[in-house]
Amino acid sequence: MRKSKLIAVAFPLGAPHLEAVFHGIVSYARQRRLRWSFLTSPESWALSVQQLRGWNGDGAVVMVNTPDELRQIAKASFPVVSISDALITTGVPSVT
């Protein structure tokens, strides 16, 4: 059996439209029978990009909204996809 992949979700899940995005990600993983587990931070409403510093997961879906967040994500040792178009050029794969 394949090992589960741990995917961080670093965007506010309390916002209805972003909750729908999360449900879409979960649906995508289920339809493709991917073994993904998700890291969120329901206690603080959202896991931040800064909280992923030094994290040893398999990937992350994030909102890169500031140059500082972009610098943090550029150092990540795991694949990242952004769901924000706040910055014009990031070099980070994005879905908006």
Side-chain angles (χ1 to χ4, degrees):
M1 185 183 300
R2 259 186 354 205
K3 180 184 169 205
S4 179
K5 301 276 186 182
L6 184 57
I7 309 299
V9 177
F11 57 86
L13 294 176
H17 67 288
L18 294 176
E19 191 172 315
V21 169
F22 178 64
H23 288 294
I25 294 166
V26 171
S27 177
Y28 172 88
R30 282 186 183 149
Q31 289 173 3
R32 285 157 184 76
R33 297 187 178 179
L34 302 173
R35 297 181 49 84
W36 288 359
S37 295
F38 296 96
L39 173 69
T40 63
S41 183
E43 304 84 17
S44 66
W45 192 56
L47 184 66
S48 73
V49 168
Q50 287 81 3
Q51 289 173 296
L52 296 177
R53 184 181 308 151
W55 183 64
N56 193 25
D58 297 297
V61 181
V62 304
M63 290 186 77
V64 177
N65 292 318
T66 68
D68 183 54
E69 290 174 339
L70 181 58
R71 282 188 290 279
Q72 292 293 322
I73 284 302
K75 298 174 188 174
S77 61
F78 47 84
V80 176
V81 173
S82 178
I83 61 166
S84 173
D85 62 357
L87 300 176
I88 295 171
T89 305
T90 65
V92 175
S94 64
V95 179
T96 58

